[in-house]
């Protein structure tokens, strides 16, 4: 394929800056149409971004013969539905993260895209950002020796918007998001660790709601082991009195520390414990490098680093950690 013609299902907040403009700013890429159930909002987005067409139903968009590929930017509860719809229409699929509500849904999506012979990509865009590529280069070069241990911490305060039970954001409603902020944010850390260190093969964890502010979990702790025997621990708390975002990978000759979010410096400590820092500014349209990688793969120039298979591995980890908590919620809601 030379030029990829895109349609967007769900032109909401995430598409305004993070992803949407990349589809019409990149070479060999064109944004043909957008869809949102609210027709006025779909039209407004199309007019502001100079998109030729807009729709208020997904079926019309995927049936548009001028569209080659569909970007699904809706909440996780509709990822499977729209992926299957697009696959049946023979469209390439790029879906937001997390890939779906559960691993079972991920597997259905993968099977459908294989059946209709269409590629399926997932928006774990950190895999294509220069800062994480640099970290991978450091690890692969032996800069820290053999990786042994990973520790992860992500703490946030309980924000005021979670105090109104009748107007909670969708990402803390498990029926829409699959969980809470752990699912929405920790999936990025888990995926980037998969990118840096390989497949996680064993997980043990605990999840609970310490504040009872919303149905989803607000605190998760876990231990995990990778296929290459690296072991890790992590804790995510969204009702803490402080903010923290730190991942540390320790090896036999040094260590690397970095934040999953933002663009703070990467810190590398060599075998003499000398600190080296690397600074990378994230692009304005942060998904642009990954979207570029997708286009290059479709053109036969390169391989996109974020696939349905790699994304489904992160969904498996989340399922393993939240299995007991989700079961408790299900019984409570019966």
């Amino acid at each position: 394929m030379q030029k990829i013609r895109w349609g967007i299902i769900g032109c909401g907040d995430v598409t305004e800056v993070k992803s949407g403009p990349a589809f019409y700013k990149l070479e060999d890429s064109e944004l043909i149409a957008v869809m949102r159930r609210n027709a006025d909002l779909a039209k407004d987005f199309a007019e502001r971004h100079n998109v030729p067409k807009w729709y208020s139903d997904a079926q019309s968009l995927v049936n548009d013969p001028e569209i080659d590929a569909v970007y699904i930017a809706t909440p996780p509860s509709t990822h499977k539905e729209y992926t299957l719809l697009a696959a049946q229409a023979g469209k390439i699929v790029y879906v937001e993260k997390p890939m779906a509500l559960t691993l079972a849904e991920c597997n259905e999506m993968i099977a459908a895209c294989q059946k209709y012979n269409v590629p399926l990509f997932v928006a774990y865009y950190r895999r294509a950002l220069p800062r994480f590529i640099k970290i991978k280069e450091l690890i692969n070069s032996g800069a820290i020796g053999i990786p042994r241990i990973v520790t992860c911490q992500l703490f946030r305060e309980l924000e005021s918007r979670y105090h109104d039970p009748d107007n909670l954001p969708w990402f803390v409603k498990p029926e829409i998001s699959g969980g809470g902020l752990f699912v929405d944010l920790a999936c990025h850390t888990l995926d980037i660790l998969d990118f840096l260190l390989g497949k996680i093969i064993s997980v043990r964890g605990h999840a609970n709601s310490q504040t009872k502010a919303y149905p989803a979990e607000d605190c998760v702790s876990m231990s995990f082991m990778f296929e290459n025997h690296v072991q890790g621990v992590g804790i995510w708390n969204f009702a803490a009195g402080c903010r923290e975002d730190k991942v540390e990978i320790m090896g036999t000759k040094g260590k690397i520390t970095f934040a999953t979010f933002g663009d703070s410096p990467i810190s590398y400590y060599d075998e003499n414990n000398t600190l080296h820092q690397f600074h990378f500014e994230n692009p304005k349209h942060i998904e642009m490098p990954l979207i570029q990688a997708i286009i290059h793969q479709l053109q036969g120039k390169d391989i996109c680093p974020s696939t349905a298979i790699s994304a489904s591995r992160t969904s498996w980890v989340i399922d393993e950690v939240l299995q007991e908590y989700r079961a408790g919620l299900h019984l409570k809601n019966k």
Side-chain angles (χ1 to χ4, degrees):
M1 302 181 72
Q2 293 307 308
K3 177 174 280 192
I4 314 302
R5 301 170 301 173
W6 293 90
I8 296 177
I9 295 177
C11 52
D13 291 344
V14 72
T15 61
E16 285 292 346
V17 177
K18 289 176 68 176
S19 58
F23 295 104
Y24 57 79
K25 288 187 174 184
L26 285 169
E27 188 177 356
D28 297 329
S29 181
E30 185 177 2
L31 183 55
I32 297 293
V34 296
M35 170 268 168
R36 193 165 177 173
R37 285 177 294 180
N38 184 315
D40 291 337
L41 292 177
K43 180 182 179 183
D44 175 66
F45 184 98
E47 289 176 346
R48 287 185 294 104
H49 291 268
N50 297 312
V51 181
K53 302 179 187 180
W54 57 270
Y55 297 101
S56 59
D57 70 286
Q59 187 70 63
S60 296
L61 183 138
V62 301
N63 287 344
D64 189 325
E66 294 187 358
I67 291 174
D68 305 310
V70 175
Y71 167 46
I72 300 167
T74 59
S77 57
T78 52
H79 286 182
K80 186 187 82 168
E81 173 191 351
Y82 290 141
T83 296
L84 269 55
L85 196 70
Q88 289 166 5
K91 309 297 184 181
I92 298 154
V93 182
Y94 174 50
V95 65
E96 262 303 326
K97 63 82 210 167
M99 185 173 165
L101 290 177
T102 63
L103 176 63
E105 288 194 353
C106 294
N107 289 337
E108 287 185 62
M109 293 159 66
I110 291 169
C113 289
Q114 289 176 342
K115 176 181 178 181
Y116 294 102
N117 196 29
V118 295
L120 173 57
F121 305 98
V122 182
Y124 282 117
Y125 52 84
R126 281 170 172 76
R127 288 174 175 250
L129 291 178
R131 60 186 285 104
F132 295 103
I133 292 172
K134 177 63 177 180
I135 295 168
K136 190 172 180 66
E137 288 174 353
L138 286 169
I139 294 169
N140 290 349
S141 71
I144 63 168
I146 302 169
R148 295 297 195 203
I149 302 167
V150 181
T151 59
C152 311
Q153 292 179 322
L154 183 66
F155 304 149
R156 297 279 176 89
E157 306 92 341
L158 182 67
E159 298 176 23
S160 58
R161 58 179 167 168
Y162 304 125
H163 293 307
D164 183 357
D166 296 322
N167 294 286
L168 291 170
W170 64 263
F171 43 80
V172 293
K173 296 180 178 180
E175 69 276 13
I176 300 175
S177 65
L181 290 165
F182 171 74
V183 174
D184 189 48
L185 300 177
C187 68
H188 276 299
T189 302
L190 295 171
D191 177 78
I192 207 64
L193 289 177
D194 181 285
F195 174 67
L196 296 172
L197 297 170
K199 181 180 178 181
I200 293 174
I201 60 170
S202 178
V203 186
R204 301 288 186 274
H206 300 280
N208 66 355
S209 175
Q210 295 182 333
T211 64
K212 311 296 183 187
Y214 44 76
E217 73 292 336
D218 59 22
C219 185
V220 175
S221 60
M222 58 186 285
S223 62
F224 46 98
M225 186 169 69
F226 294 84
E227 199 168 29
N228 59 4
H229 307 298
V230 174
Q231 293 197 34
V233 294
I235 187 159
W236 292 261
N237 190 289
F238 302 101
C242 61
R243 285 202 161 212
E244 183 71 70
D245 177 6
K246 182 179 179 181
V247 179
E248 182 173 274
I249 301 174
M250 184 172 292
T252 54
K253 293 182 180 178
K255 66 180 181 180
I256 300 169
T257 64
F258 60 91
T260 300
F261 303 95
D263 52 11
S264 58
I266 300 162
S267 296
Y268 157 55
Y269 298 83
D270 63 25
E271 57 188 327
N272 299 314
N273 205 34
T274 302
L275 171 62
H276 310 265
Q277 289 194 317
F278 305 92
H279 300 260
F280 294 89
E281 185 177 348
N282 288 329
K284 179 180 179 181
H285 310 299
I286 201 164
E287 292 194 26
M288 185 177 275
L290 184 65
I291 295 167
Q292 180 69 86
I294 292 170
I295 292 167
H296 281 168
Q297 176 165 326
L298 296 173
Q299 294 176 324
K301 297 178 180 178
D302 204 350
I303 299 296
C304 175
S306 184
T307 68
I309 298 299
S310 63
S312 69
R313 293 198 292 265
T314 290
S315 291
W316 173 79
V317 174
I318 291 170
D319 279 5
E320 289 292 295
V321 174
L322 295 185
Q323 182 178 9
E324 186 176 341
Y325 187 79
R326 285 171 174 172
L329 272 183
H330 177 71
L331 290 173
K332 184 179 177 181
N333 295 330
K334 266 193 167 185

